[in-house]
Amino acid sequence: MSEKEEKFKIPDLLPLLPLKDTVIFPGAMVPLFIGRQKSMRAVDDALASNRMILLSSQKSPEIEDPKPEDIFSVGTVSIILRMVKLSEGQVRILIQGISRAKIDMVTKTDPHLQAKITLINEEEVPKDSIEVQALIRTVLENLEKLVSMGKPFSEELKAMAQNIEQPGRLADFISSNLDLKVPESQEILELIDPIKRLKRVNELLTHEIMLLSVQQEILSEAQQEMDKSHREYILRQQLKAIQKELGESEELKGEIEGYKKAIEEKKIPEEAKTEIEKQISRLEKMAPDSPEANVIRTYLDTITSLPWAIVTKDRLNLKRARKILDEDHYDLEKVKERILEFLAVRKLKGSKIKGPILCFVGPPGVGKTSLGRSIARCLGRKFVRISLGGVRDEAEIRGHRRTYIGAMPGRIITGILQAGSSNPVFMLDEIDKIGADFRGDPSAALLEVLDPEQNFSFRDHYLGVSYDLSKVLFIATANILDTIHPAFLDRMEVIHLSGYITEEKVQIAYKYLIPKQLKENGISQKHLYFTEKGLKKIISQYTREVGLRNLEREIGSICRKVAVEVAAGKWQERKTITEKAVEKYLGPPKYLPEILLKKDEVGIATGLAWTPFGGDILFIEAILTPGNGKIQLTGHLGEVMKESALAALSYTKAKAKNFSIPLKNFKDKDIHIHVPEGAIPKDGPSAGVTMACAMISALSGIPIRRDVAMTGEITLRGEVLPVGGIKEKVIAARTAMIKDIILPSMNKKDLSEIPKNLLKGLNFHFIERVEEAVKIALKNA
């Protein structure tokens, strides 16, 4: 520093030139452009004296007229080597840094800044120090690496750096030629210790290397992505050209236009419209033959085919509705009245009605599904039917999610698609046979479908958007109510349909079944005629049901045999189906009234039972065997029926004297109770009084009348309690040609719901205690 002082004779007072965004290091030769008036006056003052000037950076480059506090306190004394005046009123000077200096104070601010300075002496560092040599080598290697990574650092500058042996000078040289920010450069300028200064420069070099490395990775990835996009663009253009040659692009374009047209024409809700537009946008970017494109195309076909705003106008004419119901169904007066009430309320309230869903419950073949069709005819609506029997997967109702090829909407949305309108009559058949497993509970999913407070925004998993089901008229059918989910059942109004008696079946056959089968088999009434006695024989001896399906099958079988004769040219005159002719066409009778096959016997009582398929007669047999008073029960009996047998036995023991039963029979004999047809499960309390009569007959030796049938639950005190299914049981007794029926007295009211023609010719005995049943059923009791 002393050599510089002697050579340049640096004075204590120097003009001060603030720099906006530059830091000058000692030894650096830098051109500067001067535009501010004060700065040009400072340059002129320096040129007029010893050409020396102090250069110091501003703390903020935005300040146009910096004050002393706006300037860093450490700067660089520099000498002005050259000055050129430019045409725009600016000055360009070439300066070279000489030495670091600290501003002690600013002595004046006008006409330019002038500062009193103190030169900063730099410590001498031994050149042969191992630490210094290692540090210099590390810095030069990092500089080499930085240059190899693309940093603008010329070969000449790199060679100059390699020839510098002093760490301070090397740090200043590298800092002046690197693109550093003002705070970083000022930090290095203010570091007096050469070793610390070079270490800091090395840290900045390392940081810059890391930045460039990451930048190169980003650029490489971006370039790869650009190459990939460019390649895809070229391939897509080639694909479009190929598709154009094959005519496929026009086909895809036509499909997309069709989807867009459907959005406008069908008044699709905004939510669904947004989803459709999103999928169309995806489809446009895909290859037409890709699997995902096929999935999207199927989805768009489905969602645009839905009848979003398509509804059929209701025809709520009650006279016309009554006529249709009478045309389609015989009798069922109470059911028809309820349907007319339903339609009347709908006519008065319109679409605002949120009443319960109708649920028809009854045995198979009694007309539950056809009633739904009739309601659709009355309203003038489309009819849709889905069978829920055996459905165990919740996705069958809510649809499958579009996460794989082969996904499809649920049965509800599929039914709406089939109907082609948003307000069809929708029949949910066999809801009592819905199952549940690990895939979910379909009954719970149906709650949203049937609840008027929720179904206006039913969301199918496949569609992914809400669909309004509030306009749909849902009707359900079931054989029994026991297996239906309670919450599900709570949303429905149950209408019971019982079976038909022989006379009703005859009328239904003449009005519906025979004309239908004649038409289906290609013959007419001129070819075939059924007599009433012939029909009754088919009903009683070839079918055993409360419905009509087997009767229709037997009629169809006869029609087909006659059709064979007509087609073969053997037909000469109309065939009349009499009682004798029935066996000719259908073979020997399949069923005979069992009541006519046997005489009155000891220990055999006739009971009446209810089944999901209608009423049935039940023979209960009791027999005494040598033993020690035990009871044995066989016939596939349920727990309730076993309990009824034990209650009957206890009652019989308690009242043994009243029935003249020797007490030794309970000690020396075992009682075996059997219900024939053991392969069929049987349960329920209705056989209590029948078991009691069978036991009393077996223990007393008095025969039971075979023309008497009975039903009723008993208590240990001998009281007879009411049971259900009276109409079905009465039909079963009538079919079996039983005239006398024993019923609990509390079931007398149930006869009012049975048509009078069904009660004709039957004798009813209403009892309150078992003793009354014994007097009626046991001969000479």
Side-chain angles (χ1 to χ4, degrees), residues 18 34 170 327 359 381 417 466 501:
I34 309 300
L170 180 61
E327 285 176 0
C359 177
R381 294 191 182 189
L417 277 168
S466 298
I501 61 173

Side-chain angles (χ1 to χ4, degrees), residues 703-724:
I704 300 178
R705 292 170 55 190
R706 297 290 288 167
D707 59 346
V708 174
M710 62 195 78
T711 184
E713 183 180 0
I714 64 169
T715 67
L716 290 175
R717 299 184 303 276
E719 295 179 358
V720 181
L721 303 179
V723 291

Side-chain angles (χ1 to χ4, degrees), residues 615-629:
D616 199 3
I617 60 172
L618 203 64
F619 295 106
I620 296 179
E621 301 177 349
I623 192 171
L624 300 181
T625 59
N628 54 5

Side-chain angles (χ1 to χ4, degrees), residues 409-430:
R411 294 195 179 193
I412 303 299
I413 294 299
T414 303
I416 298 294
L417 277 168
Q418 293 172 355
S421 70
S422 292
N423 64 335
V425 173
F426 206 120
M427 176 155 281
L428 305 171
D429 227 348
E430 299 177 341

Side-chain angles (χ1 to χ4, degrees), residues 636-650:
H636 208 160
L637 307 182
E639 291 298 323
V640 177
M641 199 171 246
K642 290 178 181 178
E643 291 173 1
S644 296
L646 296 175
L649 178 60
S650 298

